[in-house]
């Protein structure tokens, strides 16, 4: 706020006086009017902040209690109204049937009494012969049939519904993301090697909320963390060389990072075990397993794919001293819907349905919780480069709308298969095995950051590529 050299007109009172410049609206005010002006602006700002806080609270309530949304309440009201209509209609029909049945029963009783009198008369007169017996039998059968299946009463069902039907209509089609085709190298990319600025065939990758990347550096027998925008990584698990000591790794393929307790669960592929590293302390969680890849669902269950037994097993958190439960596979190697052939990566959704990269069958399978067999949701048309085919699929990710992203390693591309579609679409690459920014060479891992950027572990190019989302 700066005082003007000369008297000018105050914007509010329109009088000549010593004025002060308001930076926010570029107008001149007398001192008193400027103070009032600023107070008014502050009050308006406070109102906006209050509205913001109230709207934020509404968003949080909707996230925590989606059942309270007006649309859900509208559906619930339709359900109650429909049930009431059905109940009233059913009660009206019951009354009609009971009234008609009572009348019918009275008529049948009269006919039965008449038949009884005839029987007594035949017996009294000793007039029993074949004709009379057939007559009595037919009359009794007719009366009985009328009681079991009343000829004047039937249930008529009208195909025209008397209840207002509802359905959910989405006015816009789902819009799926697209990414720039030229990637940025965010880890490795300095040739094959074991220096801190190099990688040697990276496989599994995870990115946290700070955009730090955790990498299973397969041929270097280590887990490396690359901080956001760092020029080199740092080793957080594994030693200088491979081995089977508790502090060593042997061809690690996949990892789970728990930010809350700073622990890492690792598929120690070469040592046939699953280990946990926490603050430089290590322990074996599962031993004697041909672990290929692993993941954990939101309930804390651990899933591990066994590429030799061609199955996926599940363990409850903290209960790793048993054999776990088979949740996919179990029928030896094969290509039937209840079989797998060298399963690799796993994805588990919120309903605990399991998606499995069935590598040697060149398909992705979905097994619903407790299902005895899966169904094909991507590929499954033999190995090939067509849009309805995959070649040795690796990492998979399933979006909120059921779209499946696949690191199609044999075809050097990332694919997206939308729910219900017979074929996929190429998301990035697919431009042959080279090392240009728009190319991949046997992509294995993939993940997304909070902004939707796509990260790919470019296995044979020894680098992690970032494909930026197009907004």
């Amino acid at each position: 706020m700066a005082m003007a050299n000369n008297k000018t007109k105050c914007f509010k009172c329109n009088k000549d006086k010593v004025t002060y410049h308001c930076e926010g609206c570029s107008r001149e005010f007398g001192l008193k009017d400027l103070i009032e002006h600023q107070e008014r602006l502050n009050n308006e700002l406070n109102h906006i902040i209050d509205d913001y806080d109230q709207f934020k609270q509404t968003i949080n309530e909707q996230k925590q209690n989606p059942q309270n949304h007006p649309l859900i309440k509208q559906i619930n009201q339709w359900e109650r109204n429909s049930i009431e209509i059905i109940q009233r209609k059913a009660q009206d029909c019951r009354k009609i049937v009971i009234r008609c049945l009572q009348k019918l029963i009275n008529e049948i009783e009269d006919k039965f009494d008449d038949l009884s009198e005839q029987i007594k008369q035949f017996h009294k007169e000793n007039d029993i012969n074949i004709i009379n017996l057939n007559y009595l039998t037919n009359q009794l059968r007719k009366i009985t049939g009328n009681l079991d299946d009343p000829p004047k009463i039937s249930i008529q069902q009208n195909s025209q519904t008397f209840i207002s039907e509802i359905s959910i209509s989405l006015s816009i089609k789902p819009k799926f993301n697209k990414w720039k085709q030229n990637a940025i190298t965010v880890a490795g990319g300095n040739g094959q090697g074991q220096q801190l600025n190099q990688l040697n065939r990276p496989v599994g990758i995870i990115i946290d909320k700070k955009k730090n990347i955790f990498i299973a550096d397969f041929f270097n027998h280590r887990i490396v963390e690359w901080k956001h925008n760092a020029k080199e990584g740092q080793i957080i698990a594994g030693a200088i060389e491979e081995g089977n000591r508790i502090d060593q790794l042997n061809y690690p393929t996949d990892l789970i990072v728990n930010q809350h307790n700073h622990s890492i669960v690792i598929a120690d592929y070469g040592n046939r075990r699953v280990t946990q590293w926490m603050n430089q302390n290590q322990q074996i969680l599962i031993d004697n397993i041909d672990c290929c890849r692993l993941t954990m669902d939101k309930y804390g269950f651990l899933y591990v794919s066994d590429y030799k037994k061609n199955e996926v097993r599940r363990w409850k958190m903290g209960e790793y001293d048993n054999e776990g439960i088979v949740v996919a596979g179990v029928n030896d190697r094969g290509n039937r819907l209840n079989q797998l052939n060298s399963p690799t990566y796993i994805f588990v959704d919120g309903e605990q349905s399991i998606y499995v990269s069935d590598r040697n069958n060149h398909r992705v399978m979905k097994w619903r919780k407790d299902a005895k067999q899966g169904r094909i949701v991507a590929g499954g048309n033999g190995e090939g480069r067509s849009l309805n085919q995959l070649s040795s699929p690796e990492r998979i990710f399933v979006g909120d709308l059921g779209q499946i992203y696949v690191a199609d390693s044999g075809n050097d591309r990332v694919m997206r298969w939308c729910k219900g579609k017979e074929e996929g679409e190429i998301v990035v690459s697919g431009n042959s095995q080279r090392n240009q920014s728009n190319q991949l060479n046997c992509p294995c891992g993939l993940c997304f950051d909070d902004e939707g950027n796509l990260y790919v572990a470019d296995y044979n190019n020894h680098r992690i590529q970032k494909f930026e989302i197009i907004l």
Side-chain angles (χ1 to χ4, degrees), residues 51-111:
D51 291 342
Y52 170 84
D53 291 339
Q54 185 175 356
F55 185 64
K56 182 65 176 177
Q57 182 179 354
T58 302
I59 291 175
N60 291 334
E61 289 174 354
Q62 288 291 339
K63 288 175 64 177
Q64 295 173 3
N65 301 296
Q67 294 295 329
N68 293 334
H69 194 280
L71 290 174
I72 299 296
K73 291 181 179 179
Q74 188 175 340
I75 294 172
N76 293 340
Q77 186 61 49
W78 169 85
E79 180 183 31
R80 288 191 295 269
N81 293 342
S82 298
I83 291 173
E84 289 176 2
I85 292 172
I86 292 171
Q87 289 175 333
R88 287 198 301 268
K89 187 69 175 179
Q91 187 60 25
D92 291 343
C93 290
R94 289 190 196 98
K95 290 179 181 178
I96 294 172
V97 169
I98 290 172
R99 188 167 59 248
C100 293
L101 282 177
Q102 192 61 52
K103 182 178 179 181
L104 178 66
I105 289 172
N106 292 336
E107 293 176 356
I108 290 175
E109 280 185 329
D110 292 341
K111 292 181 180 179

Side-chain angles (χ1 to χ4, degrees), residues 7-21:
K7 290 185 177 182
T8 56
K9 288 186 181 296
C10 172
F11 177 78
K12 183 175 182 182
C13 67
N14 203 30
K15 294 180 180 179
D16 290 330
K17 58 175 66 176
V18 176
T19 58
Y20 300 83
H21 185 71

Side-chain angles (χ1 to χ4, degrees), residues 144-357:
T144 304
N146 287 343
L147 183 63
D148 294 337
D149 186 17
K152 297 180 181 180
I153 306 174
S154 63
I155 304 296
Q156 300 293 326
Q157 295 191 33
N158 193 337
S159 60
Q160 299 297 320
T161 178
F162 64 93
I163 298 173
S164 298
E165 293 187 358
I166 65 169
S167 61
I168 306 301
S169 175
L170 299 177
S171 58
I172 56 174
K173 294 182 178 180
K175 182 179 179 181
F176 295 112
N177 295 330
K178 293 183 179 181
W179 291 267
K180 295 179 180 179
Q181 294 301 299
N182 290 299
I184 303 169
T185 301
V186 292
N190 297 299
Q192 178 181 3
Q194 56 180 294
Q195 300 300 316
L196 291 179
N197 68 342
Q198 294 178 307
L199 296 171
N200 193 343
R201 291 185 171 85
V203 189
I205 57 173
I206 290 177
I207 187 163
D208 67 12
K209 293 184 179 300
K210 296 180 180 179
K211 294 186 174 61
N212 302 320
I213 308 171
F214 299 83
I215 308 164
D217 195 5
F218 187 61
F219 266 62
N220 281 329
H221 315 287
R222 65 190 184 186
I223 304 297
V224 182
E225 178 184 2
W226 284 64
K227 298 289 187 182
H228 182 49
N229 290 332
K231 299 300 182 184
E232 61 181 32
Q234 61 185 63
I235 301 172
I236 58 174
I240 300 299
E241 58 184 15
E242 78 272 21
N244 58 10
R245 293 198 316 265
I246 191 66
D247 64 339
Q248 292 179 309
L249 297 172
N250 190 357
Y251 297 106
T253 55
D254 206 1
L255 70 160
I256 301 168
V257 178
N258 189 327
Q259 298 291 339
H260 297 294
N261 61 9
H262 305 288
S263 68
I264 307 172
V265 179
I266 304 170
D268 193 2
Y269 172 88
N271 284 323
R272 301 183 66 248
R273 65 190 183 188
V274 176
T275 61
Q276 183 180 53
W277 291 58
M278 184 185 301
N279 299 323
Q280 296 305 313
N281 295 315
Q282 304 88 26
Q283 70 174 116
I284 298 174
L285 299 182
I286 306 169
D287 203 3
N288 193 31
I289 180 173
D290 292 296
C291 54
C292 191
R293 307 292 190 270
L294 47 78
T295 193
M296 187 173 287
D297 67 21
K298 66 179 183 180
Y299 304 104
F301 287 93
L302 177 66
Y303 300 75
V304 183
S305 61
D306 188 318
Y307 73 97
K308 282 192 175 180
K309 290 184 177 179
N310 299 289
E311 64 186 21
V312 177
R313 288 182 179 265
R314 182 182 69 200
W315 282 263
K316 189 175 182 180
M317 181 184 292
E319 298 181 4
Y320 303 119
D321 56 348
N322 55 55
E323 294 184 352
I325 300 172
V326 177
V327 292
V330 304
N331 295 282
D332 298 323
R333 176 177 298 178
N335 60 6
R336 297 199 302 270
L337 293 180
N338 62 351
Q339 294 178 308
L340 298 170
N341 190 347
S342 295
T344 57
Y345 284 99
I346 320 159
F347 182 93
V348 182
D349 66 17
E351 298 177 347
Q352 292 185 300
S353 292
I354 303 157
Y355 296 77
V356 186
S357 276

Side-chain angles (χ1 to χ4, degrees), residues 382-394:
E383 183 179 11
R385 295 186 60 85
S386 298
L387 293 180
N388 68 342
Q389 294 178 307
L390 295 171
S391 177
S392 302
E394 291 286 350

Side-chain angles (χ1 to χ4, degrees), residues 370-420:
D370 301 325
K372 300 302 180 184
Q373 66 178 28
R375 64 183 181 89
I376 301 170
V377 291
N381 296 296
E383 183 179 11
R385 295 186 60 85
S386 298
L387 293 180
N388 68 342
Q389 294 178 307
L390 295 171
S391 177
S392 302
E394 291 286 350
R395 171 71 80 180
I396 50 179
F397 178 87
V398 182
D400 294 336
L401 298 176
Q403 70 275 30
I404 303 168
Y405 295 88
V406 187
D408 190 9
S409 67
N411 287 322
D412 309 302
R413 65 191 183 186
V414 175
M415 297 283 289
R416 175 171 59 204
W417 291 65
C418 294
K419 193 173 182 179

